[in-house]
Amino acid sequence: TNTNTNTNTNTNTDEYKGINVVCALQHEKCNIIDMVSFEQNENGNATVKNDGDKRTWISLEQKGTDANTDDAASVSASVSVSSTVKVFTGDSNRIHKTLALKHLGSWTTVEPCIAGGCGNKILRAVAYATNNIEHHNAIAIMVPGTCSWDTAAPTALVLAAIQKFGIVAKVTDFFGGDMVYHNKGTVGSKVTNDLGCIVSCGKLAVECHEKLCVAMRADAIILDSLLRKYWSAADKNISLEEGDKIQWQNAQMKPQNVHIVRNDLGYVMTCEEVERLVRSVDESSSSHCKLVGYTMPELNKLQLFWNISSSGGSSDDSSPRVSKSPPELVRYQKNDLGVVELKLVL
């Protein structure tokens, strides 16, 4: 922050001395915020005020009941809280949220909490968990539609809480993959969190988080909603034979290993990316074969569905020009440098 009040002749510089900047949303709900005090130097620029050994991580939330108390009622309440997961979500009725709550409710007691704002949801979850590390569990669910700037800073706070307070926590997309932040003009980069975001704090919450990602990868509705633009070719003019189309649709409805099939940047691979990689290891396949779609039926494997065209010859010659059938199954892996490699499965 560089606040030079000299640029505004109507500003009373005395008003800007000792400004407290609170790094949180709805800080009255959050118990692990970082408060930094700023002051102006002789040049009118903002500088961090030196508060000596003063704690910067402060609690603005009253501590809960001590789990070690001899009061039987308090002990019973602590046990009840330990088996409950507070889930912070928005007030929308989108299918991603509805199904996530349904799955979570089948594994543990869920206490839904409506909270606006992506950062607010994450901060509330972390604040609740750190209030009582032994017994509090919280999950924040952000449906697809948020962006990198919505999740990056709150995620940093989660990681800081892990280190500072020793809480168990996890941050992933809906399928269990890491959140990706490659937005500095890199080819193929983007700022939208297309696969949503899940944050869990507390041992039970993390266990439910991991189960939820497995359930999301096996839910046909969620898979179609989030992966349609990835595992289907962008060119809608190419299609499959009816039998192959049914086989592809059936394959899409089975559990997938989406968290594995990522490109070098960490994004889910598009159909076009997969086709380019396949051609790089199988150059003998005809250029008249177009990849229409793919699925991920097994760990580190891709099932491929091709449109095999007979075009490419003279107008009076309708005979196929395909010299070799394209591979229907390839093995996917990343080398030690994190570069994606494909190998043909014979």
Side-chain angles (χ1 to χ4, degrees), residues 247-260:
Q247 183 184 3
W248 181 36
Q249 292 173 340
N250 290 337
Q252 288 178 317
M253 298 181 69
K254 296 179 180 179
Q256 308 292 317
N257 286 283
V258 182
H259 61 308
I260 296 297

Side-chain angles (χ1 to χ4, degrees), residues 100-213:
L101 289 175
K102 179 180 177 181
H103 285 302
L104 290 171
S106 67
W107 303 317
T108 189
T109 303
V110 171
E111 181 184 341
C113 299
I114 302 300
C118 177
N120 184 35
K121 294 180 183 67
I122 298 175
L123 290 169
R124 294 279 298 277
V126 182
Y128 179 74
T130 53
N131 182 270
N132 189 326
I133 296 176
E134 290 293 325
H135 298 286
H136 283 186
N137 292 275
I139 291 177
I141 297 176
M142 283 63 64
V143 297
T146 63
C147 295
S148 296
W149 47 79
D150 296 314
T151 54
T155 294
L157 187 59
V158 175
L159 300 178
I162 294 174
Q163 182 176 5
K164 189 171 185 71
F165 299 102
I167 68 169
V168 179
K170 195 178 188 75
V171 181
T172 72
D173 60 32
F174 269 40
F175 295 136
D178 292 334
M179 303 302 293
V180 185
Y181 302 105
H182 289 281
N183 306 316
K184 293 185 178 181
T186 309
V187 175
S189 67
K190 52 191 174 183
V191 298
T192 53
N193 298 320
D194 292 343
L195 302 186
C197 179
I198 302 175
V199 175
S200 58
C201 302
K203 183 177 179 181
L204 175 60
V206 170
E207 291 175 358
C208 292
H209 181 157
E210 293 172 347
K211 287 183 180 179
L212 181 59
C213 290

Side-chain angles (χ1 to χ4, degrees), residues 286-288 309-323:
S286 170
S287 60
H288 302 304
S309 172
S310 61
S311 62
S314 60
S315 58
D316 58 348
D317 184 2
S318 60
S319 60
R321 297 297 182 184
V322 179
S323 58

Side-chain angles (χ1 to χ4, degrees), residues 173 175 177 180 190 195 226-227 229-231 257-263 265-271 273-274 294 296 332:
D173 60 32
F175 295 136
V180 185
K190 52 191 174 183
L195 302 186
L226 300 184
L227 293 182
K229 69 177 183 180
Y230 291 102
W231 62 8
N257 286 283
V258 182
H259 61 308
I260 296 297
V261 189
R262 310 276 173 154
N263 61 21
L265 295 180
Y267 301 113
V268 175
M269 297 199 314
T270 65
C271 193
E273 285 180 286
V274 172
Y294 73 90
M296 299 133 285
Y332 165 95

Side-chain angles (χ1 to χ4, degrees), residues 272-312:
E272 289 70 27
E273 285 180 286
V274 172
E275 181 173 353
R276 286 195 296 269
L277 283 173
V278 170
R279 294 196 185 283
S280 70
V281 297
D282 187 37
E283 296 178 355
S284 60
S285 293
S286 170
S287 60
H288 302 304
C289 300
K290 295 292 296 180
L291 186 63
V292 178
Y294 73 90
T295 60
M296 299 133 285
E298 299 177 46
L299 186 66
N300 293 345
K301 287 186 179 179
L302 299 181
Q303 187 176 7
L304 310 177
F305 296 86
W306 299 86
N307 170 283
I308 304 178
S309 172
S310 61
S311 62

